[in-house]
Amino acid sequence: MVSLERSKKKAHLWKKAALHFLLCFVMGFFTGFAPTSKASIFSGQATMSLSPTYSPQAQPVEAFHQEKMQSFNRSLLVETEQAEEEHNHKASKEMILEEEKEEVEELDIRRLVIIITPTSTRNKLRGVLLRRLASTLKLVAQPLLWIVVEQQSKEESEVSEILRKTGIMYRHVVFKENFTDAGSEMDHQRNIALNHIEHHRLSGIVHFAGLSNIYDLGFFEGIRAIEGFGTWPIAKLSANKQKVVIEGPICDSSEVLGWHLKKMNNLTDATPPPLHISSFAFNSSILWDPERWGRTSSVQDSSQACNSLGFVRKEVLEEEAKLKGIPTEDCSKVLLWDLKI
């Protein structure tokens, strides 16, 4: 009886095991035909691994990149500013060079104006008048050369000190001779200056400017246009006499028609009156081109050198057809005054 029950239990266990095995086999069989989800699982894991996550090192890395970008931007900005500054500097330099080139070309077109001024210790206002004339000449467009003549002295003269401070291109010429007559001394100084121009072959328009002269600045631009000889009217004023005397040419435009005469009733005298020393100018080439201008000797001839002023005055009066009135548009206009103090 007992053995029969044991055999029944064993059979029941075997059936249960066989059923369980069969069930697992069937599930495993059908599971093999089902689509696998491994790829999607791994894909999900890969996607999740690439997704941003919080990390304690994320902030320092981001700050490092920001600092690098700021440094790059700063360096780029500096390079841009330097390039712009170099461009502006180059453009400014080119502009300066262009202006200097134009100025040089303009100086080449302009003729040199040579101003001759004699001085004398007899004139108590020499220093004051010399400074006044220097102030006028400083305003004249370049090129201009100022030749100042005075008697030689053992000590440094006031004239030398004044000329050094003017900022004008000048030549200081001295002489040793003594004179009792003021007019003869002035003519001697002018001859010395002409001799200096001839010896050094200074090319320009020569004008005798006395210390008592007062100028309109347009006068200097007008005399640059002189080819041979030029002349203009000069107004003589006196501090003691309340009157003005006009000396010089009578013109139609730039053509000289006649001369102002001191004695208006002397109409039969065709000889031109003596010209005021400051009422004419001339091309300096007449001093070293004797064949062209009719001179028979050179600068080495001392007697001829002393007569240079007389030669120039003679040429001005005899070559009336070659004279050019200044200013060309209306040479009757007064641009120069002689004020006697």
Side-chain angles (χ1 to χ4, degrees), residues 224-242:
R224 292 185 198 271
I226 294 175
E227 295 293 337
F229 301 93
T231 184
W232 50 84
I234 179 173
K236 300 181 67 174
L237 297 86
S238 177
N240 298 326
K241 299 178 181 179
Q242 297 180 354

Side-chain angles (χ1 to χ4, degrees), residues 108-328:
D108 291 338
I109 295 173
R110 288 202 200 110
R111 288 182 175 177
L112 173 68
V113 174
I114 304 174
I115 305 297
I116 296 176
T117 302
T119 65
S120 175
T121 54
R122 294 186 177 92
N123 190 343
K124 302 302 181 182
L125 298 175
R126 180 174 67 165
V128 175
L129 297 177
L130 198 63
R131 289 185 178 91
R132 186 190 66 176
L133 183 56
S135 299
T136 300
L137 297 181
K138 285 176 67 175
L139 301 176
V140 179
Q142 297 298 318
L144 180 142
L145 174 64
W146 192 16
I147 300 179
V148 181
V149 190
E150 71 162 337
Q151 187 176 26
Q152 188 176 17
S153 61
K154 295 180 180 179
E155 300 179 356
E156 184 178 8
S157 68
E158 180 187 16
V159 174
S160 299
E161 182 181 355
I162 293 173
L163 291 176
R164 282 197 301 269
K165 296 179 180 180
T166 59
I168 303 171
M169 182 171 63
Y170 72 90
R171 295 193 180 182
H172 186 200
V173 183
V174 298
F175 65 96
K176 297 180 180 179
E177 292 80 4
N178 293 317
F179 292 87
T180 56
D181 180 66
S184 299
E185 182 181 2
M186 292 292 104
D187 284 347
H188 179 71
Q189 293 186 50
R190 296 182 184 106
N191 274 313
I192 290 176
L194 294 177
N195 188 25
H196 179 83
I197 293 172
E198 183 177 4
H199 178 74
H200 296 282
R201 298 205 168 194
L202 303 178
S203 180
I205 306 301
V206 181
H207 167 61
F208 299 102
L211 291 179
S212 59
N213 289 2
I214 300 174
Y215 292 91
D216 185 298
L217 290 178
F219 166 83
F220 297 97
E221 290 305 313
I223 66 175
R224 292 185 198 271
I226 294 175
E227 295 293 337
F229 301 93
T231 184
W232 50 84
I234 179 173
K236 300 181 67 174
L237 297 86
S238 177
N240 298 326
K241 299 178 181 179
Q242 297 180 354
K243 66 177 182 178
V244 177
V245 177
I246 304 297
E247 292 187 10
I250 300 173
C251 304
D252 180 11
S253 294
S254 62
E255 182 182 358
V256 177
L257 301 179
W259 304 88
H260 291 281
L261 300 177
K262 291 184 179 180
K263 296 180 180 180
M264 299 303 295
N265 58 352
N266 188 8
L267 301 178
T268 59
D269 189 1
T271 304
L275 287 177
H276 189 282
I277 193 64
S278 294
S279 65
F280 65 90
F282 60 94
N283 193 317
S284 63
S285 64
I286 72 173
L287 298 174
W288 60 76
D289 194 351
E291 295 181 358
R292 177 184 175 188
W293 300 100
R295 299 187 70 178
T296 57
S297 57
S298 63
V299 68
Q300 282 76 17
D301 187 348
S302 59
S303 62
Q304 183 66 30
C306 291
N307 291 326
S308 293
L309 181 61
F311 163 76
V312 170
R313 279 174 166 161
K314 180 182 177 182
E315 288 295 321
V316 170
L317 293 175
E318 291 182 354
E319 299 293 336
E320 185 174 322
K322 298 180 181 179
L323 280 175
K324 183 176 184 178
I326 302 298
T328 56

Side-chain angles (χ1 to χ4, degrees), residues 53-63:
T53 56
Y54 174 80
S55 172
Q57 297 181 353
Q59 290 182 349
V61 171
E62 184 178 354

